[in-house]
Structure formats: C-alpha cells, structure tokens
Amino acid sequence: MSCRFSGLWPAMVTPMDSKGKPCVQVLEQLVELFVEQNLDGLYLLGSTGQGPLLSIEERCLVAQRVVEFAAGRIPIMVHVGSITTEDSVALAKHAETIGADAVSSVAPYYYGHTDVAVFEHYRLIGEATRLPMFVYHLASINRLHLSAKDYVARLMELPHVRGMKFTDHNLYQLGLLNHHAGGKLQIFSGADELLCQAVLSGAVGAIGTFYNLFGPCCRDARESVLQGNIQNAQLFMMQFQSVIEQVLTRGDVWGFLRRAMYLRYEIDIGMPRAPLGVSQNEWKDQEIHVLIDRVFDVIATD
C-alpha cells in the first residue's frame, strides 16, 4: 500500500465569491498555500467543501481546477458522495478523467437505506473507475449495524477499495477496524479533535476542517506522536481541543474560518451557502488572534 495516502490532509474549503459561486482565484491561492506548507494531500468537496450544497457542474469545476492548480505536486482525493448513485458514479468518472488520485464517498443520505443498498452504492462507485476508493464513514449519517469484523469484510469485497475516512469519536471502533483489516486498509481519522489520539488506534493520516487554518502545526503534532514525543503532542492537543470547543460552542465555525484565514494568510474564502454560515454571532479580530496564537504557539512550525 502506498504511503501516498497518509499524513495530514485539509478537508479543503470551497471558497465562494460575493455571488455565492465557487471562486476559482481563491481556489488557486489555497492550493498554493497547502503545497507551500508541505501538507500531504487535499480532500475535496466533502462536508467542509460544501459538496452536498453544490450542483454537479460546480463540483466538477472545483475538482478540475484544483487538480490543474496542484499539477501533481500534492495528492488529490475527490469526494463524490451524493443522494443518488448515478450522480456519484458520474462524479467519480469525472475525477478519473481530470487526473485525481483517489475518490471517496459517504453513504447515500436523506433516505434510510439497508446495508445491502449502501454497499451496492459503494460497489458501483468503486467499479466505475480504476482510482483508489476510500469509503467516508460519517457517524452522523452512517446507520450500518455491523461488527468491525463484518464491516471490514464487506469493505474488502468492494472494487478498488483502499481505505476509509473515519469521522467518528469512537476510537475503539477505529482500532478494531484497523485490527481486522490487518494493514490492508488505510484509514484516515476524520475527527480533528482526535488528531493525535487516532494515531494510537492505527490511523495512517487525518483529514479535517481545521487543517485549512492549522495545517502545519497539526502535521507537526501528529509527527510528534509517531516519533514518541507524547508530551509534546499532549500539550498541543489540550490547546487544540480547547480552541475547537470554543469555536463550536460559539456556533459559527464558518465565520471563524473565514476571518481567521484572512488574518493568518490574507485569503478570503467567503461565506458558504445558506443555511451554512447563518449566525448572529460576530467574531472580533482580537478574539480570533488569541485562538490562532494558542494553537500555533504550542509547537514551532517551519
């Protein structure tokens, strides 16, 4: 299994212009930032990337332009999950055509689905291309009632499956999935607040929202665990979790990210489509500076 699919990956935001359309110019700025920071890959058009809120045409545009801007300098995984299998298959085929490195898909949402329907959805996406396939296990919509052993067995039957993005607080389940996979699946942690803890459960990497802003120091914190510097990682996680808690409690993640990305990198990602980003809370620049500094000051970054 290639280590190309490992390490620290931002679940990349999809920047919006003043008319609520994907902003190509800012997409390029973000790609250049993440390449310059030596991050390990980009995960496009998932929850943070507003994939479910965009049209098929918009999703194709974002994926194509990011792949073009990256020009092979950083791996690209495109989330193709949709409410219909037909759209997901079309998006997967498009990802292969433009030169993406992998595809990923959440379980079909809105309607309740049987295990058979969910894995058939995955199967059809997997066989639609030759790209590596990463199942996106999103706890808030995944309703599969399977043991870890059975879950892995079903995953291993899927065409071109290579791993999973596991967005769940249940690290016991993550550890069991890794145990039963026996090294045959590459599983990314999708919960930012468990970045370092997930390493001990076998996660090969991490994909998350806050890595858009804190990518370099999160990468270094994760590396601290791998190198056995648990104290350093623990100090970082205590601050990182506290900052995440404050942002989530405030109820305005999108407003925070927009202003923070501008203050830190002078990149305006705009606001997402409603109802995302609709909030009565306004962040003051000084508040954001304090939170940014608390995270970046724990581990010196290059």
Side-chain angles (χ1 to χ4, degrees):
M1 298 282 270
S2 172
C3 63
R4 184 172 179 78
F5 299 109
S6 62
L8 200 288
W9 297 46
M12 186 169 155
V13 295
T14 297
M16 294 292 187
D17 63 21
S18 59
K19 296 181 180 179
K21 300 291 184 181
C23 184
V24 173
Q25 179 182 0
V26 179
L27 276 175
E28 183 173 14
Q29 291 177 320
L30 289 171
V31 171
E32 292 303 319
L33 172 67
F34 299 140
V35 169
E36 180 181 324
Q37 291 176 336
N38 293 316
L39 302 186
D40 298 296
L42 302 177
Y43 188 91
L44 308 184
L45 297 162
S47 305
T48 307
Q50 302 181 68
L53 298 179
L54 304 182
S55 68
I56 298 298
E57 292 74 22
E58 288 171 326
R59 292 175 72 166
C60 289
L61 171 67
V62 170
Q64 180 170 346
R65 298 312 293 268
V66 170
V67 170
E68 289 174 355
F69 294 142
R73 295 175 295 166
I74 189 170
I76 307 293
M77 187 183 299
V78 181
H79 174 253
V80 300
S82 178
I83 196 170
T84 71
T85 303
E86 180 181 15
D87 285 347
S88 294
V89 166
L91 289 166
K93 290 180 177 179
H94 177 264
E96 182 176 44
T97 299
I98 62 176
D101 298 282
V103 293
S104 176
S105 178
V106 75
Y109 44 88
Y110 188 79
Y111 296 99
H113 296 286
T114 65
D115 295 354
V116 172
V118 170
F119 280 95
E120 178 66 4
H121 177 77
Y122 292 149
R123 185 188 69 78
L124 290 171
I125 295 170
E127 73 176 16
T129 78
R130 293 169 294 178
L131 293 177
M133 164 76 169
F134 287 77
V135 167
Y136 181 3
H137 175 99
L138 182 58
S140 60
I141 69 168
N142 193 301
R143 296 293 181 262
L144 297 177
H145 300 289
L146 298 172
S147 69
K149 183 177 181 179
D150 289 342
Y151 201 165
V152 167
R154 297 287 293 275
L155 288 174
M156 296 300 294
E157 294 173 350
L158 298 174
H160 300 122
V161 69
R162 291 293 181 273
M164 176 188 290
K165 179 188 178 208
F166 184 83
T167 304
D168 196 315
H169 288 160
N170 189 344
L171 293 183
Y172 174 54
Q173 179 80 349
L174 174 56
L176 289 176
L177 290 171
N178 271 304
H179 168 71
H180 291 296
K184 295 179 180 179
L185 293 176
Q186 293 172 295
I187 304 181
F188 285 83
S189 168
D192 299 29
E193 57 273 34
L194 296 175
L195 164 68
C196 289
Q197 292 86 340
V199 176
L200 300 179
S201 293
V204 300
I207 298 170
T209 300
F210 286 90
Y211 310 149
N212 286 276
L213 175 63
F214 298 119
C217 54
C218 287
R219 175 202 60 210
D220 292 349
R222 186 176 183 280
E223 188 63 27
S224 291
V225 180
L226 294 171
Q227 294 178 359
N229 191 342
I230 302 302
Q231 183 178 15
N232 202 29
Q234 183 182 42
L235 290 172
F236 174 82
M237 288 306 300
M238 290 177 68
Q239 289 298 328
F240 188 45
Q241 288 176 333
S242 176
V243 168
I244 291 175
E245 179 190 34
Q246 289 187 54
V247 175
L248 295 180
T249 300
R250 187 71 167 264
D252 188 14
V253 177
W254 302 97
F256 170 80
L257 281 177
R258 181 186 188 184
R259 192 59 184 161
M261 289 294 290
Y262 186 79
L263 293 174
R264 183 75 185 183
Y265 304 115
E266 296 187 349
I267 295 176
D268 186 1
I269 62 173
M271 289 301 288
R273 288 184 176 166
L276 291 181
V278 176
S279 173
Q280 298 301 315
N281 297 316
E282 291 189 7
W283 289 91
K284 296 179 180 179
D285 286 357
Q286 184 57 34
E287 293 177 300
I288 294 177
H289 277 301
V290 169
L291 295 180
I292 290 175
D293 291 344
R294 280 177 55 191
V295 175
F296 273 100
D297 287 350
V298 180
I299 295 181
T301 59
D302 42 40

